[in-house]
Amino acid sequence: MNWRNLLLLILAFLLASAVVKAHGYVVRAIPADRSTLERPPTRLQYWFSEDLEPRFSEIKLRDQSGEVIASGAVDEANHALLTLRAPAGLADGAYIVELRPAFASDGHVIAESRVFFVGDEVGGVAGSAATDRAIPLEALWRAGLNLANFLFFGASLLFRAVLLPAWGNLRNPRSPLPPRVMRMLRNCLIAAVMLAALANLIALLQQSMVFFNTDAAQVLQQNLWSVVLIGSRFGDVWIFRMVLLLFGGVLLFVAEYYRPLMPQLSAGIWRGMPWLGALFIGLTMVTSHAAGSTLMPWLAIAVDWLHALAAAFWLGGALALTLLLGPALTPLDDERGRAAMRAVMGRFSRIVTPLVALMIVSGVYNALNFFITPADLNTSYGRTLGLKLLMIAPLLLVGAWQHIATRPQLGARLEPLLSMLPLSLRSRMEPAAARGKALRLEAVSMLALLCAVAWLSATPVPEPVSQRKDVETPQITQTFGEFTVTSAIIPGGPGVNTYDVVVRRGGAPATGLGIHLQLVNPERGIRSAWQSAEQVDAGLYAAAGDDIDEAGEWWSLVDIVEENGLVTRAAAAWEISESAAVIQSRPPNVAHLMLLLAIAAIVAALVQRRTRRLLAALNITPATSLLAAGVLALSIGVMVFGARLIGERQRDYEATLNPPPETVNTVLPDAESLKRGEALYRERCLDWQGQSADFRALGNRLWSARDDFLYNVVVAGWRDLPACEGEIGERERWDIVNYVRTFEARE
């Protein structure tokens, strides 16, 4: 069995999944909390930092008496958005918005409420913030799952990397280690699989209780767990985790059953167990805090995985050794026991030392993903992390004691320092006295640390200060005859926006209209395709899109088509703000890059032995080293130059496709401009009105023609189509251009 290929296959499955973020929070709220609005909102929208479970997320609107007046759900086009259409004609007063999002990544559900006011602010009405405390039952199953995963990975890798080289007999494939040791190792893996299965069952029960906001009895009696299992991302990951556990249990059975008959098969399975353990841990990373990083989330997951693997070998390996040493050393006399102890502990310590360094560096990197400002430390997550760090410090001291106790040479070099310690403490640090004591103390401390880690995993990360801002929704109200049109771009920043158009006729909501919408950036000569807005409520028409791709001045053109075909144009100019964009990512800083370099250096040091073997096989000489360095430098230079050249070519290509307009349209194509343009067109562009072949060709090009091109047609003509007659000023020419664009077909 090729375990590396299996690992790559599972990782491909994980990487192919949608990017998810754990422990989400509101990144944009419209209306803002405790905001006072002059007029009632048409739609409530709350963007979150990660996708939500549509089946288990909800939003409700209550009036100040507490009565529910509307409810909403997750937006179909954007699963990170909770939206609600507000009832028409909300009276002045206070309104409470109840949010209950269920995050798809880890299944966490938060409940909070926010308040806004229509008209004047009302006293005595307040919302409630979401709790940032961990759920004890969740912390329990996470602790059990972490213990199981760490024990499985630590014990299986301990077998390959420590016990076999120190105590093994490779000439006896049926039992490369003493039977009592192999039996204890097998029991450790079986216990890990059983504990993981139990933790997963508790996780499914707890998650069902949270999703349905009920108790365990109701979950079991009504089979609510089955809905969670088949209707949520948590259920998908849970099933995959259980399948892997079943696979691991089957492999353990096969390895033991066929060990006397097919020892090579059994040995191969044991060699592959660490890879399976790495997969167990990798699955938890997909729903970890790292997945919620706004800084390169997949890199954060990889670093967190390295962090967990290093911790798993240290903690799980130490726990397995604690269980093994008693049965392994009992039959041996003191001298042989010390030798066996020194052999295994020396090798274990040599591997753990760089892993501890990797844990520290990767842990700092993980923390910087969430602690952006010092204020973020004063949160439940920050305090829990501080407790975890306090519990790690004694472990490092115990590990250092163990490292010194199993190395007489190191102890001799540190003798001047050790002589300063009390005699009673020095006696305990002798190799004979240290045999097993440090390891047992280490194992007990690690069990307590795993509880702290689980509590940290169940605690929401601090909401970044950079996300704690709300912006005022751009909104314009215009009157055209019997129509009153209110347009809004939500949230009004680059990226995906919702375009709301509220149309009232004679003071009442206007229904059954055709609403066509187009976005225009005059400075760049860019205009979107016309799209139809859907009627989502009485008088409310909505569309969504990502046509607004940068900050600056944009126009929205809204054509209202009545039942008799009459068209009314509503146009508005917007100042799109970069600060209104919903922030989904942030760039790394110097500290992140330095930590990544340190992680890469530690990983390189861990694999240096295999690297040395590879270099020896290549038979590298000083001359070939110099040549290789030159080729490497040249290759890097060529790649950098090529990347810059490709970037310049791409920019040139984009500039060729969409160069800056020669003349910028400065006249908003509103109803007045169209009215003036129509009069000028009929008076000055007489030859255009005969529907000649060239005019029809021009009409067919309107969807792709830019305003500066049409401006030049008005001034100088096109093909056999003459210019418009008479002395026409610049504004009048743009009026004609705006009117000619009304001939463009609408979808």
Side-chain angles (χ1 to χ4, degrees), residues 731-746:
R731 177 177 176 178
E732 286 75 16
R733 293 169 185 163
W734 285 123
D735 286 335
I736 295 174
V737 169
N738 291 339
Y739 175 70
V740 169
R741 281 208 172 275
T742 63
F743 299 147
E744 181 181 346
R746 307 286 193 268

Side-chain angles (χ1 to χ4, degrees), residues 30-31 37 39-46 59-62 69-73 82-91 95-97 116 118 475 490 500 502 504 509 536-541:
I30 297 176
L37 310 178
R39 60 183 62 88
T42 58
R43 183 192 298 264
L44 311 183
Q45 293 182 301
Y46 295 85
I59 173 175
K60 294 180 180 179
L61 178 63
R62 297 179 182 270
I69 58 177
S71 60
L82 266 179
T83 182
L84 177 150
R85 292 195 296 272
L90 289 179
Y95 294 90
I96 303 170
V97 184
F116 69 89
V118 177
Q475 185 170 299
I490 307 171
D500 281 2
V502 178
R504 302 180 72 83
V536 295
D537 204 349
L540 172 60
Y541 301 81

Side-chain angles (χ1 to χ4, degrees), residues 462-483:
E463 178 184 342
V465 173
S466 60
Q467 302 284 19
R468 299 171 195 164
K469 60 180 181 180
D470 293 302
V471 296
E472 185 177 353
T473 304
Q475 185 170 299
I476 295 176
T477 299
Q478 300 165 302
T479 300
F480 307 94
E482 62 178 343
F483 287 115

Side-chain angles (χ1 to χ4, degrees), residues 241-272:
R241 207 156 48 203
M242 291 298 286
V243 169
L244 271 185
L245 285 174
L246 179 61
F247 180 61
V250 170
L251 285 180
L252 285 172
F253 173 78
V254 171
E256 181 62 21
Y257 186 81
Y258 287 100
R259 181 171 55 83
L261 302 175
M262 304 175 65
Q264 296 300 330
L265 173 63
S266 179
I269 291 175
W270 273 95
R271 285 194 299 270

Side-chain angles (χ1 to χ4, degrees), residues 155-168:
S156 57
L157 189 57
L158 184 77
F159 168 77
R160 283 199 60 184
V162 176
L163 298 180
L164 276 182
W167 295 346

Side-chain angles (χ1 to χ4, degrees), residues 427-500:
S427 63
R428 295 177 184 175
M429 296 186 64
E430 296 297 328
R435 181 173 118 180
K437 292 182 179 179
L439 199 59
R440 287 191 293 272
L441 179 59
E442 198 171 11
V444 172
S445 302
M446 285 175 180
L447 291 176
L449 177 61
L450 280 176
C451 296
V453 171
W455 197 268
L456 186 68
S457 299
T459 302
V461 298
E463 178 184 342
V465 173
S466 60
Q467 302 284 19
R468 299 171 195 164
K469 60 180 181 180
D470 293 302
V471 296
E472 185 177 353
T473 304
Q475 185 170 299
I476 295 176
T477 299
Q478 300 165 302
T479 300
F480 307 94
E482 62 178 343
F483 287 115
T484 299
V485 180
T486 300
S487 303
I489 299 180
I490 307 171
V496 178
N497 290 275
T498 300
Y499 315 115
D500 281 2

